[in-house]
C-alpha cells in the first residue's frame, strides 16, 4: 500500500467519523426536550444557549444534515475504492462498497442512534452547534432539492399545499426515535399542563354549575380549590359525580360536592420524569398536581403526558388534526381559541413554536408583538400569519393561523 492509498483511507475514515458525529447530533436534536434546553439556557449554560439559537431552524438543519451525511458517505466509499484499485483491480469497487457499508451501518448509523436517545440533551448540547457549522454551507442545496421535489409532486397526484409547513419529502432517518426523550434529564415541569391551561373548579360554585362543567369537560379528573387556585382541596372525578347523580332522588342542586372529592396528590416540579413515571406505576394512579418549592400551583401532569413524550403522539388521526379549540380549514389555515396551548399545537401539527416564552398561543403572540393586539391586526412569526379574530378586554380569544404561502408552496 502506497502513502497515497494510506492517505485516502485515512480521509475516508475521517469522513465516516464525521458522519457518525452528524448522525449523533441529528438524533440528539430530534430527541432532546426543547423545554429542557430552554431552561438550561436561562440558567446560563453556554452550550444550551448556542443550541437554543438553532431550534427555530431545526427542520432546515436536520435536512442539511441528511444531505451532508449522504455526501460524506458517498465520498468515503469513492476514496476507499480508489485506494483499493492497485491491490484489487476490478474488484476494488465491490470490496469498497461492502467495507464502507458495514462501517457506516455499525459506527455512523446504529451506534449513534442507540446512544443518542439515552442522553439526548447532553448530546445535542455537545454536537448540535458543530453540526450547524458543518451543514450551513449545504443548506442552499438541501432547500433547493426540497423545492425540486415539491415541484415534482403534482405529477404524482400530490398537492404540495396539503403538506405541512415544515414537512419534508427528504428522508429524515428518524424512525420512532423522534418521540423519545431523556427521562432522567427532563422533569415534570417540562411536560406538565401549565396552570393557565388547567380546568379547575371553585368549591363555592353552585353544585348545578359544577355538574355542567364536569359533564362538558374532556377530562375525567378536575382539581377543586377553595378561595384561591393555589388552595387545591381535592379532585373531582366524573365517575364519582355520575354515581352520586344516579342515586334515587339525587339532583344537581342538592349534591354535596365536598363529599365526592378524592385527595389530591402533590408532586414537586423538579421531579424527574423517570421518578414520576415510577411513582405513577407504584401508586396505580395517573394524575398529579405540580407545585413549586413554595407550594404554589404550577400545573398538572398525567401518565398520558409522560407516555406521549416517550412514545410520541398516540392519539387518533382525527384528534391529532383537530385538538379542542382548533378548527382546520381546507386551505390549511386554522381557527384557534386563544387558550389553546402551544404544546398541543406543536404536538398535533409538528410545529416548532417556542414553549418557553408563553403557554398559550395568544400569550405567544402578545410576547412577540410586545403589545395586546386588536381585532383585525395581522402579524407574522415562526412561518405563520397570526390574524386576530376576536378580543375581549385584554384577552385575545380567537386567532386564525395561516402557514405563509410561499413556504407552503415549496
Amino acid at each position: 500500500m502506497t502513502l497515497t492509498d494510506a492517505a485516502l483511507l485515512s480521509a475516508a475514515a475521517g469522513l465516516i467519523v464525521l458522519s457518525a458525529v452528524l448522525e449523533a447530533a441529528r438524533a440528539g436534536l430530534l430527541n432532546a426536550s426543547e423545554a429542557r434546553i430552554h431552561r438550561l439556557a436561562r440558567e446560563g449554560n453556554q452550550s444550551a444557549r448556542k443550541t437554543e439559537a438553532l431550534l427555530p431552524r431545526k427542520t432546515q438543519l436536520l435536512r442539511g444534515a441528511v444531505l451532508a451525511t449522504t455526501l460524506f458517505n458517498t465520498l468515503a466509499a469513492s476514496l476507499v475504492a480508489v485506494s483499493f484499485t492497485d491491490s484489487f483491480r476490478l474488484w476494488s469497487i465491490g470490496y469498497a462498497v461492502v467495507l464502507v457499508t458495514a462501517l457506516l451501518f455499525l459506527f455512523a448509523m446504529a451506534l449513534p442512534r442507540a446512544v443518542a436517545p439515552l442522553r439526548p440533551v447532553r448530546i445535542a448540547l455537545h454536537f448540535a452547534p458543530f453540526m450547524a457549522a458543518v451543514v450551513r454551507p449545504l443548506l442552499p442545496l438541501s432547500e433547493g432539492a426540497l423545492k425540486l421535489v415539491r415541484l415534482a409532486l403534482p405529477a404524482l397526484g400530490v398537492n404540495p399545499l396539503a403538506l405541512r409547513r415544515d414537512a419534508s419529502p427528504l428522508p429524515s432517518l428518524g424512525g420512532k426515535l423522534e418521540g423519545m426523550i431523556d427521562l432522567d434529564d427532563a422533569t415534570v415541569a417540562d411536560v406538565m399542563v401549565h396552570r393557565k391551561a388547567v380546568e379547575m373548579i371553585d368549591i363555592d360554585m353552585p353544585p348545578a354549575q359544577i355538574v355542567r362543567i364536569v359533564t362538558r369537560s374532556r377530562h375525567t379528573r378536575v382539581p377543586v380549590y377553595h378561595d384561591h387556585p393555589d388552595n387545591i382541596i381535592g379532585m373531582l372525578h366524573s365517575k364519582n359525580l355520575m354515581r352520586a347523580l344516579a342515586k334515587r332522588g339525587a339532583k344537581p342542586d342538592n349534591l354535596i360536592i365536598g363529599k365526592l372529592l378524592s385527595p389530591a396528590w402533590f408532586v414537586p416540579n423538579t421531579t424527574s420524569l423517570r421518578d414520576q413515571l415510577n411513582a405513577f406505576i407504584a401508586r396505580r394512579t395517573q394524575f398529579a398536581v405540580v407545585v413549586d418549592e413554595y407550594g404554589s400551583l404550577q400545573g398538572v401532569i398525567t401518565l398520558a403526558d409522560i407516555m406521549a413524550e416517550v412514545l410520541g403522539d398516540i392519539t387518533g388521526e382525527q384528534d391529532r388534526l383537530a385538538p379542542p379549540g382548533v378548527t382546520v380549514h381546507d386551505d390549511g389555515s386554522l381557527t384557534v381559541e386563544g387558550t389553546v396551548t402551544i404544546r398541543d399545537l406543536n404536538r398535533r401539527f409538528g410545529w416548532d413554536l417556542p414553549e418557553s416564552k408563553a403557554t398559550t398561543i395568544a400569550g405567544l403572540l402578545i410576547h412577540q408583538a410586545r403589545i395586546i393586539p386588536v381585532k383585525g391586526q395581522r402579524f407574522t412569526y415562526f412561518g405563520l400569519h397570526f390574524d386576530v379574530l376576536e378580543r375581549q378586554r385584554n384577552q385575545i380569544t380567537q386567532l386564525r393561523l395561516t402557514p405563509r404561502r410561499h413556504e407552503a408552496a415549496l
Side-chain angles (χ1 to χ4, degrees):
M1 179 180 293
T2 66
L3 290 176
T4 301
D5 292 338
L8 292 175
L9 289 175
S10 297
L15 289 171
I16 292 174
V17 171
L18 186 57
S19 291
V21 172
L22 290 182
E23 181 62 22
R26 195 194 63 80
L29 197 58
L30 274 172
N31 296 296
S33 166
E34 292 189 11
R36 173 71 172 169
I37 294 174
H38 290 311
R39 190 169 62 193
L40 289 173
R42 291 196 300 270
E43 293 172 355
N45 187 302
Q46 294 301 317
S47 296
R49 288 179 177 177
K50 293 178 181 178
T51 305
E52 182 184 44
L54 302 177
L55 294 181
R57 303 186 64 198
K58 183 172 75 171
T59 302
Q60 290 81 3
L61 290 174
L62 294 177
R63 282 200 293 262
V66 173
L67 177 60
T69 53
T70 302
L71 176 62
F72 296 154
N73 296 346
T74 303
L75 183 55
S78 301
L79 293 177
V80 172
V82 172
S83 68
F84 282 0
T85 300
D86 291 338
S87 300
F88 302 106
R89 303 295 178 182
L90 294 177
W91 293 97
S92 62
I93 295 178
Y95 289 147
V97 169
V98 172
L99 176 62
V100 174
T101 299
L103 292 175
L104 288 174
F105 179 78
L106 291 174
F107 299 109
M109 294 179 64
L111 183 60
R113 295 186 192 185
V115 173
L118 301 178
R119 291 291 185 271
V121 173
R122 188 174 304 171
I123 290 176
L125 297 188
H126 278 86
F127 296 125
F130 172 77
M131 180 189 75
V134 171
V135 307
R136 190 170 287 117
L138 299 175
L139 290 182
L141 290 177
S142 65
E143 295 304 305
L146 178 61
K147 290 182 181 180
L148 291 176
V149 172
R150 288 184 182 272
L151 289 175
L153 290 178
L156 301 175
V158 179
N159 182 5
L161 294 177
L163 297 178
R164 291 197 325 250
R165 172 179 59 87
D166 63 342
S168 171
L170 298 180
S172 67
L173 306 176
K176 293 186 178 181
L177 296 179
E178 296 187 22
M180 298 179 65
I181 62 172
D182 190 335
L183 292 179
D184 290 315
D185 282 347
T187 67
V188 296
D190 295 328
V191 303
M192 70 179 182
V193 177
H194 193 274
R195 62 179 294 166
K196 293 181 180 178
V198 175
E199 189 174 28
M200 294 188 288
I201 291 174
D202 185 348
I203 190 65
D204 292 328
M205 289 179 177
Q209 182 180 355
I210 292 177
V211 170
R212 285 196 300 271
I213 292 175
V214 174
T215 54
R216 294 174 182 176
S217 174
R218 60 191 180 98
H219 305 291
T220 57
R221 297 172 179 83
V222 183
V224 179
Y225 66 89
H226 178 60
D227 291 335
H228 191 275
D230 280 329
N231 185 27
I232 302 293
I233 60 174
M235 307 297 300
L236 180 58
H237 198 299
S238 59
K239 180 175 62 176
N240 295 337
L241 184 64
M242 293 302 103
R243 285 176 179 172
L245 288 172
K247 293 181 179 179
R248 180 177 299 179
K251 296 181 180 179
D253 291 330
N254 59 23
L255 290 179
I256 302 177
I257 300 299
K259 292 185 177 181
L260 304 179
L261 302 183
S262 56
W265 176 27
F266 298 92
V267 300
N269 59 355
T270 55
T271 306
S272 74
L273 288 189
R274 184 179 300 279
D275 289 342
Q276 187 59 45
L277 178 59
N278 291 334
F280 274 138
I281 295 172
R283 293 176 64 107
R284 296 185 178 181
T285 186
Q286 50 185 298
F287 189 101
V289 179
V290 182
V291 296
D292 64 12
E293 59 182 316
Y294 304 106
S296 298
L297 175 67
Q298 299 297 296
V300 299
I301 187 169
T302 67
L303 178 62
D305 291 326
I306 299 178
M307 298 309 297
E309 292 295 329
V310 174
L311 301 176
D313 193 354
I314 55 177
T315 57
E317 181 68 12
Q318 182 61 32
D319 290 337
R320 185 182 68 81
L321 293 177
V326 177
T327 302
V328 183
H329 303 289
D330 292 338
D331 62 357
S333 65
L334 313 173
T335 299
V336 183
E337 293 179 6
T339 55
V340 172
T341 64
I342 302 168
R343 183 162 165 258
D344 278 346
L345 292 172
N346 283 341
R347 276 187 177 180
R348 305 300 174 87
F349 300 103
W351 292 347
D352 291 315
L353 300 177
E355 299 180 29
S356 63
K357 302 179 184 301
T359 301
T360 66
I361 190 63
L364 179 62
L365 175 58
I366 293 173
H367 179 276
Q368 292 297 123
R370 306 296 181 186
I371 60 172
I372 302 178
V374 298
K375 181 178 179 179
Q377 281 190 289
R378 164 174 278 204
F379 303 84
T380 302
Y381 302 112
F382 314 110
L384 296 171
H385 293 307
F386 291 70
D387 292 287
V388 180
L389 301 183
E390 297 291 341
R391 169 181 162 174
Q392 294 180 3
R393 297 183 179 177
N394 291 328
Q395 292 185 328
I396 300 174
T397 57
Q398 194 173 72
L399 293 161
R400 179 180 288 267
L401 305 182
T402 308
R404 288 191 299 191
R405 285 294 182 182
H406 72 272
E407 291 189 3
L410 289 181

